[in-house]
């Protein structure tokens, strides 16, 4: 009986700890979101100005949509990256045949990061490492195909 | 009509458990790794200072944890495909040892009581690594990675050298001691062993009814529980129900 009480207290303590953390993280996130939407507008305007300025000859990547493939958990993952004047406008998965649904749906979140951070050097998703690495190597392949 | 004896019912229970293990192995083989992925992703999220977002891993973990709190570690004993794999390796090893008449070394009860602490160390190490953002180190050094890859027919697993070596060592361990991984190394088992289990559906024993010096239940327990009290509260119990099946007086009841 005593051990049951101790174990229950442990679980309650951990649960409380996580809830307090979540509360703090939410508050920080709210501030971050407000700041980010402001800076996103500024970034958008900046991007448009930069795009207009860019000299065709100085671009590293060709405009257009490029497919790349990588080795995921269960097989090949194919992604498509859309580039315009060296900006990553879109990145999406075209094929993910043998990936386990629960894992690939977690790993796909990488693609949002790629567009918002404008880089393919983003972190893999914890717990879905192999699927994530498949997506990352497919993105690398696509970017290589886009090089001039 | 022949009367269905208690022994028949217990035999049926034995085959029913084997069937459930096979079904989970075929149709839901990844529940254990998905549930544990929740722990890894929460550790990593907290390490980064981000908001914990709900995902299918966390749902899986919560469902399995609730089942464990209500009924004990029946997930380990009936549904975990890695545990089932270990059971089958051990049975195969026992069969081969019997036929070739050569015996593998056995672990003493004392070794078991020390080794079972290892899984808590494994759990804490993995949580710390994920907290520090090094989750890929865990994936590259995990026997579960190899098990999952082979399970989906991916034979390029040899790329993960360290994981393959660990998987081979684990298989050797599984051949020597029943439920070797579950008792000594499984981080998910470590979590379940310290979850509070409500004494509603756990196995219960009527100690006063025992034959003196019988010990059939203790001798056949795969995880070597002491089985002294009337309620089995040891966090190691995986509800395999072998004690219930082997008791000559049918003293063990529950679920």
């Amino acid at each position: 009986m005593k051990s049951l009480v101790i174990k229950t207290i442990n679980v309650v303590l951990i649960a409380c700890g996580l809830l307090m953390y979540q509360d703090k993280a939410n508050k920080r996130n709210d501030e971050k979101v407000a700041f980010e939407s402001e800076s996103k507008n500024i970034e958008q305007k900046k991007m448009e100005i930069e795009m207009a300025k860019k000299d065709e000859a100085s671009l590293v990547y060709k405009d257009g949509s490029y497919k790349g493939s990588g080795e995921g958990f269960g097989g090949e993952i194919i992604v498509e990256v859309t580039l315009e004047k060296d900006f990553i406008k879109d990145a999406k998965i075209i094929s993910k045949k043998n990936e386990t649904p629960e894992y690939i749906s977690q790993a796909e979140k990488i693609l949002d990061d790629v567009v918002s951070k404008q880089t393919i050097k983003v972190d893999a998703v914890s717990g879905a490492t192999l699927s994530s690495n498949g997506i990352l190597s497919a993105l690398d392949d696509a970017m290589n195909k886009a090089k001039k | 009509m022949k009367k269905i004896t208690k022994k028949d019912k217990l035999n049926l229970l034995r085959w029913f458990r084997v069937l459930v293990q096979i079904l989970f192995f075929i149709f839901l083989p990844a529940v254990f790794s998905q549930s544990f992925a929740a722990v890894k992703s929460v550790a990593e999220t907290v390490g980064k200072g981000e908001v914990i977002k709900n995902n299918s891993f966390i749902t899986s973990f919560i469902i399995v944890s609730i089942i464990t709190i209500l009924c004990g570690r029946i997930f380990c004993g009936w549904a975990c495909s890695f545990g089932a794999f270990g059971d089958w390796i051990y049975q195969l090893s026992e069969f081969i040892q019997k036929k070739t008449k050569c015996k593998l070394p056995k672990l003493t009860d004392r070794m078991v009581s020390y080794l079972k602490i290892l899984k808590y160390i494994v759990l804490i190490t993995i949580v710390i690594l994920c907290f520090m953002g090094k989750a890929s180190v865990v994936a590259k050094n995990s026997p579960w990675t190899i098990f999952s890859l082979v399970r989906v027919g991916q034979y390029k697993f040899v790329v993960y050298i360290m994981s393959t070596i660990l998987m081979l060592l684990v298989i050797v361990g599984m051949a020597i001691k029943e439920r070797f991984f579950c008792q000594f190394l499984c981080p998910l088992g470590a979590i379940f062993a310290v979850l509070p289990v409500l004494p509603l559906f756990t196995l219960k024993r009527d100690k006063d009814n025992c034959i003196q010096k019988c010990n059939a239940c203790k001798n056949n327990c795969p995880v070597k529980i002491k089985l002294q009290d009337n309620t089995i509260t040891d966090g190691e119990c995986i509800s395999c129900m072998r004690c219930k099946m082997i008791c000559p007086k049918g003293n063990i009841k529950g679920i």
Side-chain angles (χ1 to χ4, degrees), chain B residues 180-212:
Chain B
F180 173 85
F181 184 81
C182 307
Q183 246 198 314
F184 302 150
L185 296 172
C186 184
L188 191 61
I191 295 177
F192 290 157
V194 297
L195 277 183
V197 177
L198 302 173
L200 297 168
F201 300 114
T202 49
L203 294 165
K204 293 174 187 62
R205 183 174 77 148
D206 189 2
K207 208 164 57 167
D208 300 323
N209 209 6
C210 288
I211 302 170
Q212 252 210 359

Side-chain angles (χ1 to χ4, degrees), chain B residues 10-26:
Chain B
L10 293 175
N11 235 353
L12 212 69
L13 180 66
R14 181 164 149 245
W15 288 110
F16 181 58
R17 178 170 169 249
V18 174
L19 180 67
V20 171
Q21 284 185 300
I22 292 176
L23 288 175
F24 267 96
F25 189 87
I26 298 175

Side-chain angles (χ1 to χ4, degrees), chain A residues 3-4 7-8 10-11 18 21-22 25-26 28-29 32 71-75 98 100 102-103 105-106 109 123-130 133, chain B residues 30 33-34 37 40-42 44-46 49-52 55-57 135-136 139 145 148-149 152 154 156 160 193-197 199 233 235:
Chain A
S3 71
L4 183 64
K7 287 179 182 180
T8 312
N10 282 335
V11 171
L18 284 173
Y21 166 83
Q22 185 75 330
N26 268 322
R28 267 180 70 185
N29 196 42
K32 201 173 115 181
E71 191 71 31
F73 172 75
N98 278 332
T100 316
E102 293 84 354
Y103 290 93
S105 63
Q106 295 302 320
K109 297 179 182 170
D123 292 330
V125 171
S126 175
T129 312
L130 298 176
N133 287 341
Chain B
S33 55
Q34 285 167 358
K40 290 195 280 188
S41 71
V42 169
E44 195 187 50
T45 310
V46 172
E50 289 173 2
V51 176
I52 301 172
N55 54 39
S56 60
F57 297 151
S136 54
T145 307
S148 311
L149 287 172
V152 293
Q154 261 281 40
K156 294 187 195 161
Y160 300 99
V194 297
L195 277 183
V197 177
T233 54

Side-chain angles (χ1 to χ4, degrees), chain B residues 139-154:
Chain B
K140 291 194 181 127
N141 291 285
S142 165
W144 283 0
T145 307
I146 304 301
F147 183 72
S148 311
L149 287 172
V150 174
R151 181 73 191 63
V152 293
Q154 261 281 40

Side-chain angles (χ1 to χ4, degrees), chain A:
Chain A
M1 194 58 203
K2 198 165 124 186
S3 71
L4 183 64
V5 174
I6 296 176
K7 287 179 182 180
T8 312
I9 293 178
N10 282 335
V11 171
V12 168
L13 284 176
I14 292 178
C16 284
L18 284 173
L19 285 172
M20 292 198 303
Y21 166 83
Q22 185 75 330
D23 190 48
K24 248 193 185 158
N26 268 322
K27 292 207 175 96
R28 267 180 70 185
N29 196 42
D30 287 341
E31 290 173 12
K32 201 173 115 181
V33 166
F35 175 75
E36 268 181 358
S37 73
E38 261 198 76
S39 41
K40 207 174 182 187
N41 287 333
I42 301 174
E43 284 303 316
Q44 186 76 355
K45 299 225 166 72
K46 264 195 192 171
M47 222 207 270
E48 285 164 15
I49 298 173
E50 290 292 316
M51 271 209 244
K53 267 202 239 167
K54 272 206 171 162
D55 184 15
E56 269 296 314
S58 71
L59 294 176
V60 179
Y61 299 103
K62 301 177 284 200
D63 282 4
S65 295
Y66 298 91
K67 295 204 176 98
S69 76
E71 191 71 31
F73 172 75
E76 204 188 24
I77 299 179
I78 302 181
V79 302
E80 191 179 53
V81 180
T82 307
L83 293 159
E84 191 182 319
K85 301 232 171 155
D86 277 10
F87 286 104
I88 304 175
K89 297 221 78 181
D90 187 29
K92 57 179 190 249
I93 294 185
I94 306 282
S95 158
K96 48 183 176 176
K97 278 186 302 200
N98 278 332
E99 298 305 295
T100 316
E102 293 84 354
Y103 290 93
I104 193 71
S105 63
Q106 295 302 320
E108 277 174 350
K109 297 179 182 170
I110 287 179
L111 299 168
D112 298 325
D113 260 2
V114 165
V115 177
S116 65
K117 292 186 183 159
Q118 287 294 306
T119 173
I120 61 167
K121 295 201 192 319
V122 295
D123 292 330
V125 171
S126 175
T129 312
L130 298 176
S131 295
S132 300
N133 287 341
I135 296 179
L136 290 170
S137 69
L139 287 168
D140 194 46
D141 185 34
M143 293 300 275
N144 279 333
K145 290 195 180 136
K147 278 201 179 132
K148 277 195 172 168

